[in-house]
Amino acid sequence: MSGFKNFILRGNLVELAVAVIMGTAFAAVVTAFTGMLLSAIAKATGGAQPNFDDYAPGEIEVGPFLTALVAFLILATVVYFFVVMPYTKAKDRYFPTEEAGTPADVALLEEIRDLLKARNDSV
């Protein structure tokens, strides 16, 4: 039983469960937003929602692919601008990365350089 308890209480399992739950909830939000955006496009153009399902040039049915592609591009745009960009900005703001070569590192390297130069000059 201790092995099972360790498996259940392992941090990665809990994080994965939270990610799945949040992903499922977020998928519903993005799907609703995509539907709303397609409805707005339909109202702006005075027709029905964009649907390419009947488009088949040369009897090759590419319509469903085009419809899925448009929905994917809308979804990717929403995810990028409403999730990725704010997350990146928040991460940079609250957890800034240190620049390579901090002043202490530079001072130490200058000391080493000066010591090596003095040693070479004396030889």
Side-chain angles (χ1 to χ4, degrees):
M1 286 305 282
S2 66
F4 181 72
K5 183 176 82 171
N6 291 338
F7 172 73
I8 293 297
L9 296 178
R10 186 177 301 162
N12 293 343
L13 183 64
V14 173
E15 290 172 3
L16 180 61
V18 170
V20 168
I21 292 167
M22 294 299 292
T24 303
F26 185 70
V29 171
V30 172
T31 301
F33 182 83
T34 302
M36 181 184 69
L37 188 60
L38 288 174
S39 294
I41 291 171
K43 285 189 182 219
T45 60
Q49 288 188 2
N51 186 353
F52 304 103
D53 287 347
D54 296 331
Y55 184 65
E59 297 183 19
I60 299 173
E61 296 180 10
V62 296
F65 171 75
L66 292 176
T67 302
L69 181 64
V70 168
F72 171 78
L73 291 175
I74 292 170
L75 180 105
T77 303
V78 169
V79 168
Y80 180 74
F81 286 108
F82 293 105
V83 177
V84 174
M85 281 184 64
Y87 172 76
T88 304
K89 287 180 183 180
K91 189 172 110 181
D92 290 343
R93 180 176 178 191
Y94 294 112
F95 302 103
T97 57
E98 293 182 19
E99 295 181 21
T102 59
D105 293 340
V106 172
L108 181 62
L109 289 171
E110 287 175 350
E111 273 184 59
I112 293 170
R113 180 198 63 202
D114 294 341
L115 289 171
L116 288 172
K117 184 177 179 184
R119 186 173 140 200
N120 286 338
D121 288 343
S122 65
V123 174

